[in-house]
């Protein structure tokens, strides 16, 4: 199996702009080419797109708009973790020798049909994501004493981190009080505990060890991968105080990279709702089970950016198909030491956790310089 | 429309059960997801247990578990006083109008 590096990236600002999805994708690819001077279109063996948009043959359209005639092109759709899953498909093409250079581009529009799940009968009339997140929130509060203030701290921290991310949708700091007083959507979550649907696009270049030197002097290697889907129905989550899919994906990724959770210097985790980050830091092994909120509070108090330095989904906005790729781009910048005001000092090992469909499916990547 | 949806439309909450290995197949389908055997359709017990709940304005919504297997989200109506996790509830109405709706009350009320 060949080693696979991330050798370049391009990203657009997350907005509420009403642009066609293919224009969003093409913009991120253009930005990637501008950032990667030695790359020309004929180098690209594969172009894979990630989106929950129902438009057709977007990989072919994006290839044509950017002058690429690829050997391999297709779309990857798995709702909110389409981005990270798409990167893994590209990894597999390169590791197997079917491609040496793969372009992965994820995008979404603010009005994506992927925002609400229509298939899941088990949710009854309660299809909107605020319902599943309320159930997780309530269960974690009940078992571990997590409070509404704990939730607000996640959002305050991530909105604050996003101020240093030029591509984030939000450009405003929110106090714990602002968040606690934002509109109650349910008894357990408020408006500012929720990530915000927006338009955006992000692209990465994956290359085999044989050709990486042509494109970058500072490759970031993907050394661990884990994916787990426990079901498609929300109510099949066995325990609402934990995210089983994340725990299992993380175990596989740690094993593949021979790393432990204590060796992760920086991580982007899928904070679709405030409660998600609290549970994820537990299930990724950064905090003891039940101590997730304490762990997040300590980061907030000490201005430690090791979790969600770009602002996560809460601070950056959540253009579904772009999110996983944007998470990867942040870790690439961190491990290259190029994250400027967001930089976590001395970061050598990074992790991305991208999740979908009411926590039933998770993807974890471990990356190293 | 699937058998499940047709029955829901008539107000019947039914489930698919494998004729070969007797497992409940949930979410419902016309074959078993364990052994791929044929299923029979049968009514689900009216009695359920509250696994978790929350509230949106005046609507209490819960995850309810039937027969220790089937879990759905539904609304809890005609409440007087507190509800608890583990509370026994009964399905008083179900319907299908593009999406499923399950309406519960406290059992015995
Ligand atoms: Zn069977």
């Amino acid at each position: 199996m060949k080693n696979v590096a991330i050798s370049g990236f391009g990203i657009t600002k997350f907005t509420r702009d009403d642009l066609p999805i293919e224009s969003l994708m093409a913009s991120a690819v253009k930005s990637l080419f501008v950032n990667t001077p030695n790359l020309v279109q004929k180098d690209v063996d594969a172009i894979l797109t990630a989106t929950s948009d129902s438009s057709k043959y977007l990989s072919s359209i994006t290839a044509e708009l950017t002058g690429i005639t690829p050997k391999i092109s297709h779309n990857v759709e798995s709702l909110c973790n389409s981005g990270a899953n798409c990167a893994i498909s590209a990894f597999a093409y390169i590791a197997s020798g079917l491609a040496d250079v793969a372009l992965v581009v994820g995008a979404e529009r603010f009005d994506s049909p992927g925002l609400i799940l229509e298939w899941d009968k088990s949710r009854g009339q309660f299809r909107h994501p605020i319902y599943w997140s309320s159930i997780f929130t309530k269960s974690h509060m009940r078992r571990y004493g997590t409070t509404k203030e704990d939730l607000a701290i996640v959002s305050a921290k991530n909105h604050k981190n996003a101020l240093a991310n030029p591509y984030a949708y939000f450009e405003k700091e929110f106090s714990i009080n602002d968040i606690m007083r934002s509109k109650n959507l349910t008894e357990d979550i408020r408006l500012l505990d929720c990530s915000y649907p927006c338009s955006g696009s992000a692209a990465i270049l994956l290359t085999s060890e044989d050709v990486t030197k042509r494109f970058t002097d500072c490759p970031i290697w993907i050394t661990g991968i884990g994916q787990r889907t426990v079901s498609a129905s929300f109510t099949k989550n066995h325990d609402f105080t934990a995210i089983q899919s994340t725990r299992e994906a993380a175990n596989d990724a740690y094993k593949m990279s021979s790393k432990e959770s204590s060796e992760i210097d920086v991580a982007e985790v899928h904070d679709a709702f405030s409660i998600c980050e609290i549970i994820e830091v537990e299930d990724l092994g950064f905090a003891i089970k039940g101590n997730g909120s304490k762990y997040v509070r300590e980061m907030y108090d000490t201005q430690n950016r090791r979790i969600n330095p770009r602002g996560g989904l809460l601070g950056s906005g959540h253009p579904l198909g772009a999110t996983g790729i944007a998470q990867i781009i942040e870790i690439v910048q961190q491990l290259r030491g190029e994250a400027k005001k967001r930089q976590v000092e001395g970061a050598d090992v990074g992790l991305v956790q991208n999740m979908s469909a009411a926590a039933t499916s998770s993807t974890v990547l471990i990356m190293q310089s | 429309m699937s058998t499940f949806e047709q029955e829901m439309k008539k107000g019947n909450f039914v489930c698919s059960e494998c004729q070969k290995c007797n497992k409940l197949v949930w979410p419902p389908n016309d074959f078993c997801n364990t052994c791929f055997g044929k299923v029979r359709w049968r009514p689900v017990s009216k009695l359920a247990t509250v696994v978790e709940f929350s509230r949106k304005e005046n609507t209490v919504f819960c995850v309810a578990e039937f027969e220790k297997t089937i879990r759905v989200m539904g609304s809890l109506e005609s409440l007087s006083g507190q509800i608890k996790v583990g509370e026994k509830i009964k399905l008083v109405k179900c319907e299908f109008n593009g999406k499923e709706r399950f309406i519960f009350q406290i059992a015995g009320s």
Side-chain angles (χ1 to χ4, degrees):
Chain A
M1 197 164 93
K2 286 187 191 176
N3 289 316
V4 180
I6 300 164
S7 301
F9 62 85
I11 187 165
T12 67
K13 176 140 177 95
F14 294 177
T15 66
R16 290 282 282 189
D17 290 350
D18 185 8
L19 290 170
I21 184 106
E22 61 273 22
S23 303
L24 289 166
M25 287 185 168
S27 298
V29 174
K30 178 187 163 199
S31 151
L32 184 148
F33 272 93
V34 171
N35 296 341
T36 319
N38 289 341
L39 180 72
V40 292
Q41 282 93 332
K42 69 172 171 45
D43 293 327
V44 178
D45 299 315
I47 177 164
L48 307 187
T49 55
T51 180
S52 302
D53 193 293
S54 49
S55 307
K56 301 289 190 284
Y57 77 136
L58 279 168
S59 57
S60 303
I61 296 170
T62 306
E64 181 163 37
L65 290 175
T66 55
I68 297 165
T69 49
K71 294 179 195 164
I72 298 159
S73 67
H74 59 79
N75 188 57
V76 172
E77 191 282 307
S78 54
L79 291 172
C80 303
N81 64 359
S82 300
N85 285 348
C86 191
I88 290 173
S89 297
F91 176 101
Y93 281 123
I94 294 172
S96 67
L98 279 174
D100 276 316
V101 177
L103 227 160
V104 175
V105 51
E108 211 71 49
R109 279 169 52 88
F110 64 92
D111 58 353
S112 170
L115 290 164
I116 298 195
L117 241 185
E118 292 304 338
W119 182 84
D120 186 355
K121 295 177 194 314
S122 83
R123 299 195 206 194
Q125 63 180 301
F126 300 100
R127 301 277 169 106
H128 194 280
I130 61 170
Y131 296 108
W132 67 257
S133 59
S134 294
I135 294 291
F136 272 99
T137 303
K138 181 72 115 204
S139 276
H140 204 271
M141 285 175 162
R142 186 189 307 288
R143 186 170 306 168
Y144 299 115
T146 303
T147 65
K148 289 186 186 178
E149 188 180 82
D150 292 332
L151 302 176
I153 287 172
V154 177
S155 179
K157 171 179 81 68
N158 291 349
H159 276 102
K160 196 170 178 187
N161 286 354
L163 292 177
N165 173 2
Y167 301 101
Y169 176 78
F170 287 100
E171 297 172 339
K172 186 173 179 297
E173 195 168 343
F174 294 94
S175 69
I176 293 174
N177 239 334
D178 292 337
I179 296 159
M180 304 243 335
R181 286 183 189 157
S182 65
K183 190 180 176 206
N184 282 310
L185 299 184
T186 68
E187 186 174 63
D188 298 301
I189 60 173
R190 289 137 307 188
L191 183 64
L192 288 170
D193 288 317
C194 309
S195 57
Y196 191 68
C198 59
S199 303
S201 182
I204 50 174
L205 186 73
L206 268 61
T207 55
S208 77
E209 55 187 301
D210 306 340
V211 303
T212 290
K213 272 204 187 77
R214 272 169 54 203
F215 305 110
T216 184
D217 297 328
C218 38
I220 301 303
W221 303 94
I222 298 174
T223 58
I225 291 174
Q227 286 176 296
R228 178 67 67 194
T229 298
V230 298
S231 64
S233 303
F234 157 63
T235 61
K236 288 264 184 90
N237 280 297
H238 181 69
D239 174 358
F240 298 117
T241 66
I243 301 177
Q244 186 194 342
S245 63
T246 289
R247 195 183 298 170
E248 293 179 5
N251 284 343
D252 287 347
Y254 288 138
K255 199 170 159 191
M256 177 171 165
S257 66
S258 303
K259 291 284 168 196
E260 291 177 12
S261 57
S262 59
E263 295 175 272
I264 303 298
D265 300 309
V266 58
E268 277 285 325
V269 306
H270 195 99
D271 55 333
F273 296 91
S274 296
I275 191 63
C276 298
E277 179 167 322
I278 291 173
I279 300 179
E280 287 154 3
V281 295
E282 297 171 357
D283 289 330
L284 291 166
F286 303 147
I288 296 165
K289 198 70 206 164
N291 271 10
S293 47
K294 198 175 149 208
Y295 180 88
V296 173
R297 188 181 287 257
E298 193 200 305
M299 281 190 287
Y300 179 75
D301 288 343
T302 58
Q303 305 200 13
N304 187 317
R305 293 171 178 276
R306 68 181 176 268
I307 305 292
N308 284 332
R310 77 181 175 112
L313 283 61
L314 285 167
S316 307
H318 183 25
L320 317 185
T323 285
I325 315 283
Q327 291 177 307
I328 292 170
I329 291 173
E330 177 64 15
I331 299 302
V332 167
Q333 291 176 291
Q334 291 285 344
L335 300 182
R336 285 177 171 185
E338 292 173 357
K340 299 185 180 143
K341 282 192 272 179
R342 306 186 310 281
Q343 186 65 45
V344 174
E345 284 312 313
D348 290 324
V349 186
L351 178 147
V352 165
Q353 179 258 358
N354 192 196
M355 185 170 86
S356 77
T360 55
S361 180
S362 293
T363 307
V364 174
L365 295 176
I366 294 173
M367 295 153 59
Q368 292 173 251
S369 48
Chain B
M1 212 184 287
S2 68
T3 304
F4 179 76
E5 289 166 355
Q6 282 167 15
E7 288 298 320
M8 284 288 285
K9 223 177 162 79
K10 287 187 254 171
N12 304 322
F13 181 30
V14 297
C15 186
S16 40
E17 190 175 57
C18 183
Q19 294 185 17
K20 214 163 126 193
C21 76
N22 293 321
K23 287 217 165 84
L24 272 178
V25 181
W26 177 257
N29 199 7
D30 49 15
F31 60 81
C32 171
N33 61 359
T34 299
C35 75
F36 298 99
K38 270 191 186 170
V39 298
R40 65 179 90 88
W41 293 90
R42 67 141 171 99
V44 176
S45 159
K46 298 273 183 224
L47 282 176
T49 307
V50 174
V51 177
E52 192 50 272
F53 64 93
S54 180
R55 206 179 302 258
K56 180 175 171 51
E57 290 157 5
N58 294 323
T59 304
V60 175
F61 56 95
C62 66
V63 174
E65 186 176 278
F66 297 87
E67 305 185 27
K68 295 191 168 134
T69 309
I70 300 168
R71 287 176 168 194
V72 302
M73 276 176 116
S75 55
L76 254 172
E77 294 187 349
S78 314
L79 287 171
S80 56
Q82 298 276 334
I83 41 165
K84 307 185 295 288
V85 165
E87 187 110 40
K88 301 290 174 216
I89 53 176
K90 63 185 180 199
L91 182 70
V92 292
K93 194 177 175 191
C94 67
E95 53 191 34
F96 179 79
N97 191 2
K99 51 187 165 184
E100 294 76 11
R101 272 166 65 93
F102 300 93
I103 299 161
F104 296 94
Q105 285 178 6
I106 300 294
S109 67

